Amino acid sequence: MSTKPSRVHMAMGFDPDDDVTLNPETASLLERRDRVLGPSYRLFYREPVAIESGKGVWLKGVDGRDYLDAYNNVPVVGHSHPAITEAVTKQLSTLNTHTRYLTEPVIAYSERLLATFPEELNRVTYTCTGSEAIDLAIRTARHATGNRGLIISEHAYHGTTVAASGISPSLGPNNPLGEDVVTIPSIDTARIPADQIATKLAADVREAIARLQKSGAGVAAIILDSILSSDGVQVEPAGFLAPLVDIVHEAGGLYIADEVQPGFGRTGNWWGFERHGFVPDLAVLGKPMGNGIPIAALVGTTEAQEQFGDAVRYFNTFGGNPVSIAAANAVLDVIEGEELRQNAARVGAMLLEGLERIGAADDRVLHVRGAGLFLAMEFVDAQGDPDAALAARVVNGMREEGILISASGPAAAALKIRPPLPFSEQNAEQLLETLERVLPR
């Protein structure tokens, strides 16, 4: 293995400097890719997976091998779901235009989407990606408050635009934070007693507010992923985020819930903030919204959005187009018709129990946590320090056994398990049995 510093800057990323023997077909694809794609792209795993098709919770490699997908949240209702394919095909053969014309589907979908939210969150604006929606949320908050400062967690990921990457420190050491952005320490539910988490978090946020006020930026918003996925998937005790709403309001700012990761039923609730018992001013939706068709949105209160809406003409050519809306509407059909929120809660509880059983028998497992089908298992070494090397061995070992997961957290020492929502009890049993084989290696 190479001793040179890694240029990957991504948990579980493929490092071309590693001494890895690839099968000829994968090696050929990699060589062709490197010739034509931009150098900032990355691949997963020590040995990249070359995929040719997907169905449900399964991906098929170019070598004909089947992989159980326990990682991807974009195909929230499963890869290549026929309902999504049918809806998109039908709409594409009928009309695809933009929101400057009156079309009924975007209105009907908006009514249906907003019905899944608390009544205060009553207006929606569409974009193509979560990054664009984050960018729009920042602009909206700054107009609403007259302030510029943003508060984020120290290992957050919120997107790839200039504004969104500027609040995404998890992108690596060479990704600068934006102006007037301050971080709070990553929430660490593995090491902080449960009854102290909310108190510590509130104190950290108050300190960040003081820094922004002292600098003259003021507080426009706090932006948090409602399951803190890049910070290692931090879920319990439910409710620890709720006090921050009043704290940030008292400072003149808004609360923005990033629902790109936990949203659309993954935790068993429609939205991650519901577990914590509060209503944000703005909520950002993305990845799973169209099951792979690009669509994202900013949902919020009228009060939070009216200043921006009165002052600025916002238009996104492809945001809310009829084809993307058709895909998004079909996603809601499937989540409701196949009772996928209920499945996420049931199978997620089974997975959590199984991971806790495995962890209780292994001193290297510091903590197991999860909500619905979003789970983590965190490793430490003999000194009690985060063990990223073990997490990497387990992730790559699972990949060799045909199960795809990843890792998360500031030290990349926690397994991240986040399958499509149709993940069954049988799939969960396979994952747990495989993990028990891989972990001792």
Side-chain angles (χ1 to χ4, degrees), residues 101-301:
Y101 298 114
L102 275 173
T103 56
E104 195 273 342
V106 69
I107 300 169
Y109 174 74
S110 299
E111 292 167 342
R112 186 179 183 187
L113 176 69
L114 291 172
T116 68
F117 283 90
E119 62 181 10
E120 298 95 324
L121 300 174
N122 58 1
R123 301 294 286 273
V124 56
T125 305
Y126 294 100
T127 67
C128 298
T129 67
S131 296
E132 289 180 343
I134 284 285
D135 187 281
L136 178 59
I138 292 171
R139 294 173 66 189
T140 299
R142 285 174 167 167
H143 270 265
T145 64
N147 300 323
R148 297 200 55 79
L150 302 172
I151 301 169
I152 59 170
S153 62
E154 68 181 356
H155 202 67
Y157 174 77
H158 294 289
T160 57
T161 65
V162 171
S165 65
I167 57 170
S168 298
S170 69
L171 285 173
N174 301 318
N175 177 71
L177 293 185
E179 191 175 356
D180 301 321
V181 175
V182 298
T183 65
I184 57 173
S186 292
I187 292 88
D188 189 348
T189 58
R191 295 171 177 83
I192 301 171
D195 61 355
Q196 297 178 24
I197 290 171
T199 302
K200 182 181 185 307
L201 180 58
D204 290 339
V205 170
R206 287 193 174 97
E207 182 180 341
I209 288 170
R211 289 169 58 193
L212 287 171
Q213 291 174 334
K214 184 177 180 180
S215 73
V219 180
I222 185 170
I223 306 175
L224 294 175
D225 168 356
S226 298
I227 202 162
L228 296 153
S229 54
S230 294
D231 291 284
V233 187
Q234 309 293 339
V235 296
E236 297 291 349
F240 69 76
L241 293 178
L244 305 185
V245 178
D246 287 343
I247 293 171
V248 76
H249 283 176
E250 289 168 5
L254 302 184
Y255 190 109
I256 302 172
D258 187 341
E259 292 289 328
V260 171
Q261 299 276 355
F264 290 95
R266 175 156 299 279
T267 67
N269 301 106
W270 272 112
W271 311 109
F273 64 78
E274 291 180 276
R275 293 186 63 255
H276 289 281
F278 72 93
V279 178
D281 300 290
L282 299 168
V284 174
L285 319 183
K287 294 183 191 298
M289 193 170 181
N291 211 61
I293 297 295
I295 181 170
L298 177 65
V299 172
T301 66

Side-chain angles (χ1 to χ4, degrees), residues 336-357:
E336 293 172 350
E338 297 184 8
E339 298 185 338
L340 294 184
R341 286 191 299 127
Q342 295 86 337
N343 186 71
R346 183 179 61 256
V347 177
M350 175 189 169
L351 269 173
L352 183 60
E353 182 180 354
L355 291 171
E356 287 174 338
R357 173 181 52 78

